[in-house]
RNA sequence: GCUCGGUUAACUCAGUGGUAGAGUGCAUCCUUCACACGGAUGAAGUCACUGGUUCAAGUCCAGUACCGAGCACCA
């Protein structure tokens, strides 16, 4: 039998068990298994990513679900993998090139992609190793990558499918353009952030009325070279007479028409808008309505493109803003500037303001929108918490076509080829769709044309999410799908509800004709104590690996799950992780204590070996153990992970250690049947508890399971099925539990009495008890053990010396004779206070029962309960008063 | 602007109609032969505010305030 160290050291234990699980193929999912299937696909982290607290939370949840499902006898597939993360990954390699003074164009597309693959092979997938450190039980044999050959083929098939269906088209549209990444972004990849900026009040001269000016407020003077109109609200009386006339754009000088458009808010600024159709979405639409020219005055990288204004040409857009304002000022056309807070769209990846830009892009009309809405509305897919349903519905109702093309190199290249001689013409064509296939100048397919020399492939790649949305089924081969698709649960952050979850539902319905998962659990967002979202850029996120090193993966997991509510967010506090570690240590030491009493039966305790005679404390803790099993089942069914964690914590620490273990310590010295019964009880509690805790703290539970000898050679705790029979099946525990509770409660009151009299908690005292029932005397030794009493005497006729401290407890009146320390006044005041407390409760109870409405209209059992309560109070007060009277 | 959350002990959070809870922190005691990553005891909440429904409201309804998120936007 192994000796256990005094404190649990997670480091080596965790690494050793992970290796053993792998070696034992414990995570392997067998498609041919006869057990019912359970599956989760991991939300694939970026291949370039490193583990952050959000990952820890999300993957702990998934691991818990998977490990629990295995315990329930299911064949479990947790399918892991990573995402190629177009922009993020490409950026890393571009940065490396830049350090060498090169750009990707210098090395060329082919070579560049080689470099990215090379980078991915050497530096990618760090996060996979980190997930292993966390204890994740993924089937690593099935690890997938969104750019695996098979997976890529699926992506291409998807594109071709929608193109031929007519739902993918190409066109020149206003898109979100990232001037750093030099690519279009979808609306979902843009974050609107409030910005402190300036509102510039400019004056444009009226062409038809020289000398008079139109005042215009703008936040973007640097785009005024692209102004091709000025707009006012048609109902704005101040400006109605000017509609149809012209204003003079200061530089480059031009006369631009004044138009009337409903979009203009007369309340904002001066009520006049300069219309720059090439650089603002709203302006673009106004321009369309009034036939205004589109004048692009910015380069793709955000520098000004306006040779007519040499002092601005080539400047960065923000620098140009100040130069343009200065220029207006010099011309006497800048009236004033005001501070102004507005919201600016930022590129989620690059962190810079996006630039609305007209460019040629590929779009997808979302498929299966109606059905995807219904499956969630009808509960075929459950959202937890359910309020995310509404957010989902809102998005589905206002859904816009998805810009799926990206001007990147790293990603799935669009499977479209143009016939060489027509390429230039086709690539500039206003629109392109399935109809163009007919002419034979276009090839759209998963295979390149047979004569590739005559064709040119589209330069763009697809949005990363255009591959991720196929994840639940594209990662599976046919036999795997047959067993594990649709998947059971999906756990993810609400921040990718639109990016990923909604789109997966649509793709699942379109291609598998089935929902991709039955439950979606939206976990909390991890914030710091100030409430800020944890992020690398804020530097407020602890490195989970440091936490694992300091507290163990198990400590991190339990600590986090205890505070992770099902609500909006969780405030991370390292203190909580420390508690997780402390819990592991508590568990460790309780098991260590068990080992000190002798070896456990190899293979663990058998429920059938339940001793005929069980002490009341044993019955009590076993009843709690049985109740725990039921409560956990309920909580798992509701995905209430923090509840589960709290129940596990409370059962073990409060009930098992603080109450039960403290009450039975004498048994080990006595030996005999009592000792055997207690050891059996401990073993049942420990083995079942280790199993119940296992999904949350897999390593330490597995270690202790083996050390205590609960498993046979070669058996893993993680593979053991949950017992179905309650330990106390067929036994009426009520009376025993009442007695155990009475002893616990009394012990607590007596310790309180000692404390009130400033007796050290380990001070040996003598107790005299007027027992409340004949059974009490049998519990004297336990009572003494729990209260630190040298002796407990029973004397129904005891007449205490005046002023003897006394407490009314569930085992009877308890006296604490304190020779030489008697203080009648103190005791009178103490009893008086207690009486006052009880009287207050009694008054409340009497008032309720005195209310005719209550007695008539409340549920009978509630009234009955209240009557019982009142009776208790009355009895108690009578006894207390008698004790008080005894003081003389 | 619209929508959705939140507001309970010093902190982090449970608690959806019937005697206000946990962990941490704090105070006091205990280095008792599992554990000081521990044990014991205790103090500490007009459950944000205002109304309403109900015999009964932290819990249900309406409104207000503040905090947060999502969506749409005013240049």
């Amino acid at each position: 039998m192994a000796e256990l160290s005094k404190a649990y050291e997670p480091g080596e234990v965790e690494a050793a068990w992970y290796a053993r699980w792998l070696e034992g193929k414990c995570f392997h999912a067998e498609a041919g298994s006869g057990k019912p299937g359970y599956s989760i696909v991991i939300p694939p982290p970026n291949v370039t990513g490193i583990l952050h607290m959000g990952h820890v939370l999300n993957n702990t949840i998934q691991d818990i679900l998977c490990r629990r499902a295995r315990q329930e006898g299911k064949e479990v597939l947790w399918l892991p993998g990573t995402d190629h993360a177009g922009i993020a990954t490409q950026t890393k390699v571009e940065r490396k090139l830049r350090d060498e003074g090169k750009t990707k164009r210098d090395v060329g597309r082919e070579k560049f992609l080689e470099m990215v693959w090379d980078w991915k092979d050497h530096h990618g997938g760090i996060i996979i190793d980190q997930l292993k450190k966390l204890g994740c039980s993924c089937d690593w044999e099935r690890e997938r990558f969104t750019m695996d050959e098979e997976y890529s083929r699926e992506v291409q098939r998807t594109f071709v499918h929608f193109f031929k269906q007519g739902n993918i088209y190409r066109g020149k549209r206003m898109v979100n353009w990232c001037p750093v990444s030099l690519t279009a972004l979808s609306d979902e990849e843009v974050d609107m952030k409030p910005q402190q900026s300036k509102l510039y009040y400019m004056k444009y001269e009226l062409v038809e009325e020289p000398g008079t000016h139109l005042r215009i407020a703008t936040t973007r003077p640097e785009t005024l070279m692209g102004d091709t109109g000025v707009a006012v609200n048609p109902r704005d009386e101040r400006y109605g007479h000017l509609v149809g006339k012209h204003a003079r754009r200061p530089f480059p000088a031009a006369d631009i028409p004044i138009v009337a458009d409903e979009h203009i808010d007369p309340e904002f600024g001066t009520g006049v808008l300069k219309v720059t159709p090439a650089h603002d979405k709203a302006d673009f639409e106004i321009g369309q309505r009034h036939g205004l020219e589109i004048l692009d005055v910015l380069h793709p990288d955000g520098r000004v493109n306006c040779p007519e204004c040499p002092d601005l040409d080539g400047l960065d857009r923000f620098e140009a803003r100040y130069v343009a304002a200065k220029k207006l000022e010099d011309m006497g056309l800048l009236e004033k500037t005001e501070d102004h807070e507005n919201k600016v769209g930022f590129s989620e990846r690059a962190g810079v303001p996006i630039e609305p830009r007209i460019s040629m892009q590929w779009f997808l009309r979302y498929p299966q929108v109606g059905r995807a809405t219904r499956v969630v509305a009808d509960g075929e897919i459950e959202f937890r918490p359910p309020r995310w349903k509404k957010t989902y519905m809102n998005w589905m109702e206002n859904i816009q076509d998805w810009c799926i093309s990206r001007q990147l190199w790293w990603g799935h290249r669009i499977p479209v080829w143009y016939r060489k001689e027509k390429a230039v013409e086709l690539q500039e064509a206003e629109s392109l769709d399935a109809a163009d296939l007919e002419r034979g100048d276009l090839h759209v397919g998963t295979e390149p044309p047979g004569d590739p020399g005559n064709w040119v492939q589209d330069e763009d790649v697809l949005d990363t999410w255009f591959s991720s949305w196929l994840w639940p089924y594209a990662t599976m081969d046919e036999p795997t799908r047959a067993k594990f698709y649709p998947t059971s649960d999906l756990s993810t952050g609400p921040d990718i509800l639109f990016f990923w979850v909604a789109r997966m539902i649509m793709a699942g319905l379109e291609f598998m004709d089935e929902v991709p998962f039955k439950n979606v659990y939206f976990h909390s967002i991890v914030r710091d104590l100030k409430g800020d979202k944890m992020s690398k850029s804020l530097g407020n996120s602890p490195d989970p690996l440091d936490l694992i090193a300091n507290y163990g993966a198990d400590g991190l997991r339990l600590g986090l799950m205890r505070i992770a509510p099902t609500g909006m967010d969780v405030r991370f506090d390292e203190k909580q992780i420390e508690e997780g570690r402390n819990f592991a240590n508590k568990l460790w030491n309780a098991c260590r204590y068990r080992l000190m009493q002798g070896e456990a039966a190899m293979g663990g305790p058998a429920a059938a070996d339940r001793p005929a005679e069980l002490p009341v404390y044993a019955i009590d803790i076993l009843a709690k153990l049985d109740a725990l099993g039921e409560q956990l089942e309920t909580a798992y069914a509701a995905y209430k992970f923090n509840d589960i964690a709290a129940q596990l914590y409370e059962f073990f620490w409060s009930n098992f250690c603080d109450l039960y273990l403290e009450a039975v310590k004498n048994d080990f010295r006595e030996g005999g049947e009592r000792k055997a019964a207690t050891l059996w009880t401990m073993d049942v509690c420990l083995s079942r508890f280790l199993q119940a805790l296992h999904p949350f703290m897999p390593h330490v539970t597995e270690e202790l399971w083996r050390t205590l000898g609960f498993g046979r050679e070669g058996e893993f705790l993680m593979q053991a099925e949950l017992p179905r029979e309650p330990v106390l099946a067929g036994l009426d525990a009520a009376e025993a539990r009442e007695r155990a509770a009475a002893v616990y409660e009394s012990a607590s009151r007596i310790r309180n009495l000692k404390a009130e009299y400033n007796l050290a908690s380990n001070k040996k005292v003598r107790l005299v008890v007027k027992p409340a029932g004949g059974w009490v005397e049998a519990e004297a030794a336990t009572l003494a053990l729990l209260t630190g009493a040298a002796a407990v005497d029973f004397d129904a006729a005891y007449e205490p010396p005046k002023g003897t401290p006394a407490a009314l407890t569930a085992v009877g009146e308890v006296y604490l004779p304190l020779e030489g320390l008697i203080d009648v006044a103190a005791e009178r005041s103490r009893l008086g206070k207690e009486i006052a407390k009880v009287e207050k409760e009694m008054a409340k109870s009497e008032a309720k029962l005195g209310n005719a409405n209550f007695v008539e209209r409340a549920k009978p059992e509630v009234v009955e309960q209240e009557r019982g309560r009142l009776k208790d109070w009355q009895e108690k007060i009578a006894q207390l008063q008698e004790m008080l009277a005894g003081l003389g």
Side-chain angles (χ1 to χ4, degrees):
Chain A
M1 177 80 35
E3 288 269 325
L4 293 188
S5 62
K6 201 168 163 180
Y8 172 54
E9 302 289 346
E12 279 177 33
V13 172
E14 293 185 347
W17 276 105
Y18 204 85
R20 282 184 207 129
W21 288 326
L22 287 177
E23 198 184 321
K25 300 213 176 294
C26 295
F27 306 156
H28 175 75
E30 185 53 56
S33 162
K35 299 185 203 168
Y38 175 91
S39 54
I40 295 184
V41 289
I42 206 167
N46 290 355
V47 69
T48 60
I50 53 164
L51 198 70
H52 58 63
M53 292 309 296
H55 292 125
V56 172
L57 178 60
N58 190 16
N59 289 289
T60 298
I61 289 168
Q62 292 171 71
D63 197 41
I64 288 169
L65 288 169
C66 287
R67 286 178 185 271
R68 174 76 179 185
R70 288 190 194 96
Q71 293 182 327
E72 286 168 344
K74 293 181 183 144
E75 184 66 27
V76 172
L77 167 62
W78 183 9
L79 198 154
T82 49
D83 189 304
H84 65 280
I87 298 178
T89 311
Q90 173 162 331
T91 306
K92 300 236 172 193
V93 178
E94 280 185 295
R95 201 172 293 153
K96 203 171 108 190
L97 275 175
R98 200 185 312 140
D99 293 343
E100 298 164 16
K102 288 191 236 166
T103 70
K104 65 176 190 231
R105 301 205 180 274
D106 295 336
V107 298
R109 186 163 190 149
E110 207 171 312
K111 177 84 177 110
F112 180 78
L113 286 178
E114 261 175 46
M115 292 174 72
V116 184
W117 275 107
D118 191 60
W119 190 94
K120 182 247 167 197
D121 290 340
H122 286 95
H123 308 284
I126 293 173
I127 195 161
I128 295 297
D129 288 327
Q130 295 178 319
L131 288 172
K132 292 177 180 172
K133 290 220 163 63
L134 188 61
C136 294
S137 58
C138 304
D139 184 356
W140 299 110
E141 297 159 34
R142 295 172 188 267
E143 186 180 336
R144 297 287 184 268
F145 178 53
T146 49
M147 279 175 66
D148 285 343
E149 207 179 316
E150 259 314 296
Y151 198 102
S152 298
R153 192 164 298 277
E154 197 70 49
V155 174
Q156 290 169 335
R157 265 201 286 271
T158 304
F159 183 96
V160 173
H161 168 89
F162 285 123
F163 185 84
K164 296 203 164 152
Q165 205 182 58
N167 283 320
I168 281 181
Y169 61 91
R170 205 195 63 184
K172 243 183 186 171
R173 298 292 165 94
M174 176 71 78
V175 294
N176 308 299
W177 183 262
C178 175
V180 170
S181 313
L182 300 179
T183 178
L185 301 174
S186 67
D187 294 344
E188 286 68 36
E189 288 165 290
V190 177
D191 284 338
M192 299 304 284
K193 292 193 207 168
Q195 291 293 302
Q196 271 316 322
S197 52
K198 295 229 184 298
L199 195 56
Y200 299 86
Y201 285 80
M202 321 179 292
K203 296 192 287 189
Y204 280 19
E205 189 174 22
L206 282 166
V207 175
E208 285 82 1
E209 297 173 28
T212 57
H213 291 82
L214 201 51
R215 296 165 57 244
I216 303 176
T218 181
T219 53
R220 301 203 64 190
E222 74 276 16
T223 61
L224 75 82
M225 301 81 79
D227 290 3
T228 53
V230 167
V232 297
N233 190 293
R235 282 163 305 172
D236 192 331
E237 290 169 6
R238 293 172 295 178
Y239 305 117
H241 64 288
L242 298 177
V243 175
K245 295 183 178 165
H246 294 79
R248 177 152 296 136
R249 186 179 67 200
F251 49 87
D255 297 345
I256 54 178
I258 299 171
V259 299
D261 195 282
E262 289 288 349
H263 175 261
I264 312 308
D265 174 8
E267 303 294 317
F268 186 88
T270 62
V272 186
L273 171 73
K274 71 183 195 66
V275 185
T276 321
H279 298 294
D280 185 279
K281 208 175 168 197
D283 289 15
F284 176 76
E285 283 158 17
I286 296 171
Q288 294 287 295
R289 287 196 282 271
H290 301 278
L292 300 179
E293 191 190 346
I294 296 169
L295 209 56
D296 192 333
V297 296
L298 290 175
H299 289 294
D301 63 359
R303 283 177 307 112
V304 172
N305 175 18
C306 183
E308 298 95 317
C309 302
D311 43 350
L312 286 164
D313 192 43
L315 290 183
D316 176 76
R317 52 192 168 144
F318 299 109
E319 203 182 340
R321 179 172 301 173
Y322 295 103
V323 174
K326 183 75 182 29
K327 207 168 145 156
L328 284 168
E329 197 177 2
D330 293 345
M331 295 167 82
L333 296 176
L334 184 66
E335 190 181 270
K336 61 172 178 179
T337 63
E338 272 176 5
D339 287 333
H340 175 70
E341 192 186 288
N342 63 344
K343 292 205 181 132
V344 178
F346 276 70
S347 158
E348 203 189 36
R349 280 281 153 227
V352 297
I354 56 108
E355 199 57 59
R357 182 162 186 262
I358 294 162
S359 60
M360 189 68 86
Q361 303 291 346
W362 291 91
F363 295 88
L364 168 71
R365 281 182 209 100
Y366 283 103
Q368 304 283 345
V369 174
R371 209 172 145 202
T373 308
R374 275 195 305 279
V375 294
V376 173
D378 300 348
E380 193 181 331
I381 296 177
E382 293 272 6
F383 278 9
R384 297 164 203 275
R387 59 193 163 78
W388 291 110
K389 261 170 111 161
K390 194 150 183 178
T391 310
Y392 176 83
M393 297 300 159
N394 278 339
W395 189 73
M396 293 300 275
E397 277 163 25
N398 304 312
I399 200 161
Q400 307 271 327
D401 290 354
W402 176 7
C403 175
I404 53 172
S405 46
R406 295 292 178 272
Q407 289 62 56
L408 305 173
W409 285 356
W410 175 243
H412 303 97
R413 194 152 171 188
I414 290 182
V416 171
W417 285 262
Y418 308 99
R419 192 175 286 283
K420 223 168 202 170
E421 53 270 29
K422 295 284 187 70
V424 176
E425 181 192 332
L426 280 171
Q427 285 177 32
E428 282 307 311
E430 269 308 308
S431 74
L432 200 64
D433 56 33
D436 296 289
L437 277 177
E438 306 287 324
R439 299 199 305 266
D441 298 332
L442 196 63
H443 175 91
V444 179
T446 51
E447 298 297 330
D451 50 342
N454 297 323
W455 298 80
V456 180
Q457 189 173 4
D458 194 288
E459 290 292 317
D460 290 352
V461 300
L462 291 159
D463 180 4
T464 303
W465 296 103
F466 191 86
S467 60
S468 318
W469 71 327
L470 316 177
W471 188 250
Y473 64 88
T475 48
M476 297 185 188
D477 57 20
E478 269 312 321
T480 309
R481 280 182 205 166
K483 180 78 191 170
F484 294 111
Y485 190 89
T487 64
S488 315
D489 292 319
L490 178 79
S491 172
T492 190
D495 48 339
I496 53 173
L497 172 55
F498 309 136
F499 273 118
W500 196 46
V501 180
R503 289 167 177 169
M504 275 192 291
I505 295 173
M506 292 187 263
L509 291 172
E510 176 79 10
F511 294 102
M512 295 286 110
D513 198 29
E514 241 181 320
V515 295
F517 29 71
K518 297 179 200 113
N519 284 293
V520 185
Y521 180 83
F522 292 102
H523 67 246
S524 329
I525 288 176
V526 183
R527 299 177 182 282
D528 67 11
L529 279 176
K530 285 182 297 191
D532 291 328
K533 188 171 170 175
M534 284 190 165
S535 71
K536 231 191 314 181
S537 54
L538 279 174
N540 59 353
S541 179
D543 184 345
L545 291 189
D546 290 344
L547 294 173
I548 289 175
N550 291 337
Y551 304 108
D554 290 340
L556 174 60
R557 291 166 61 123
L558 184 76
L560 197 56
M561 293 315 293
R562 281 186 76 209
I563 53 167
T566 49
M568 196 52 211
D569 47 18
V570 48
R571 285 179 191 232
F572 178 79
D573 184 354
E574 192 163 328
K575 201 86 198 157
Q576 308 283 348
I577 308 308
E578 201 179 313
E579 283 177 44
R581 175 203 60 177
N582 294 354
F583 188 75
N585 190 58
K586 186 76 178 175
L587 180 68
W588 180 263
N589 272 289
C591 292
R592 180 166 163 251
Y593 181 64
R594 167 64 189 85
L595 278 179
M596 290 174 172
Q597 315 310 328
E599 294 195 16
M602 210 45 185
D609 296 342
R610 192 175 85 200
E613 290 293 315
L614 280 172
V616 294
Y617 312 101
I619 293 173
D620 182 62
I621 194 65
L622 292 170
K624 284 170 179 162
L625 179 70
D626 285 339
L628 176 72
E630 282 179 36
Q631 288 159 15
L632 291 184
E633 215 160 296
T634 309
Y636 269 112
Y639 295 78
K640 290 191 165 181
F641 299 102
N642 52 339
D643 258 20
I644 299 168
Q647 281 161 9
L648 290 166
Y649 194 96
E650 201 212 332
F651 170 81
F652 193 74
W653 203 307
S654 307
N655 290 318
F656 186 74
C657 293
D658 290 348
L659 294 180
Y660 179 70
L661 276 190
E662 293 305 324
V664 299
K665 282 184 172 175
N666 275 344
D667 297 358
F668 302 121
R669 284 161 214 154
E670 282 178 17
E673 279 183 25
R674 177 92 177 196
K675 177 173 175 182
T678 297
L679 287 179
W680 180 86
T681 305
M682 272 186 87
D683 288 345
V684 171
C685 286
L686 286 175
S687 62
R688 289 204 176 191
F689 181 73
L690 286 173
Q691 191 173 18
L693 179 65
H694 177 265
F696 283 70
M697 303 188 107
H699 310 88
V700 69
T701 50
E702 192 82 73
E703 172 78 6
L704 289 168
W705 175 269
R706 169 165 294 189
T707 310
L708 288 171
F710 292 155
R712 291 194 171 74
E713 192 54 37
E715 284 180 352
F716 290 92
L717 170 58
M718 71 166 285
Q719 291 178 326
E721 278 197 39
L722 286 170
R724 298 188 195 283
E725 276 290 293
V727 183
L728 290 184
L731 190 144
D732 181 9
E735 192 182 59
R737 297 201 61 190
E738 205 172 302
R739 290 179 183 181
V743 173
Y744 293 142
E745 190 257 357
S746 306
S748 170
R749 306 215 36 135
I750 295 162
R751 287 188 295 233
N752 167 247
L753 201 59
K754 280 172 73 175
E756 291 218 20
Y757 277 84
N758 294 323
L759 299 173
S761 52
N762 64 344
K763 164 89 176 163
K764 292 288 176 200
V765 294
R766 186 171 81 96
L767 299 176
V768 183
V769 178
K770 290 187 179 177
W775 61 272
V776 176
E777 294 193 29
E779 307 307 329
T782 306
L783 208 53
L785 175 70
L786 292 177
T787 56
V792 179
D793 298 333
F794 293 93
D795 183 354
Y798 181 61
E799 287 195 27
K802 286 204 185 339
T804 300
L808 184 57
T809 79
V811 300
E813 287 171 34
V814 178
Y815 293 90
L816 190 60
L818 291 172
E819 289 79 4
L821 269 174
I822 300 241
D823 182 342
V824 178
E827 185 58 10
R828 184 177 290 135
S829 133
R830 217 182 52 76
L831 279 176
K833 271 188 215 157
E834 200 167 342
I835 289 171
K837 227 194 250 173
V838 177
E839 273 176 341
K840 211 170 134 194
E841 291 302 324
M842 200 170 74
K844 256 163 96 178
S845 209
E846 277 171 339
K848 255 189 179 178
L849 288 164
N851 181 344
N853 272 328
F854 173 72
V855 180
E856 280 164 28
R857 306 173 95 147
K859 280 175 282 183
E861 61 266 31
V862 172
V863 178
E864 213 34 59
Q865 186 192 355
E866 199 59 39
R867 288 207 172 108
R869 205 177 281 160
L870 179 62
K871 196 167 145 251
D872 287 347
W873 295 132
Q874 283 166 339
E875 279 170 16
K876 209 160 189 183
I877 224 157
Q879 248 173 312
L880 284 167
Q881 252 147 6
E882 198 178 309
M883 285 159 77
L884 186 62
L887 291 177

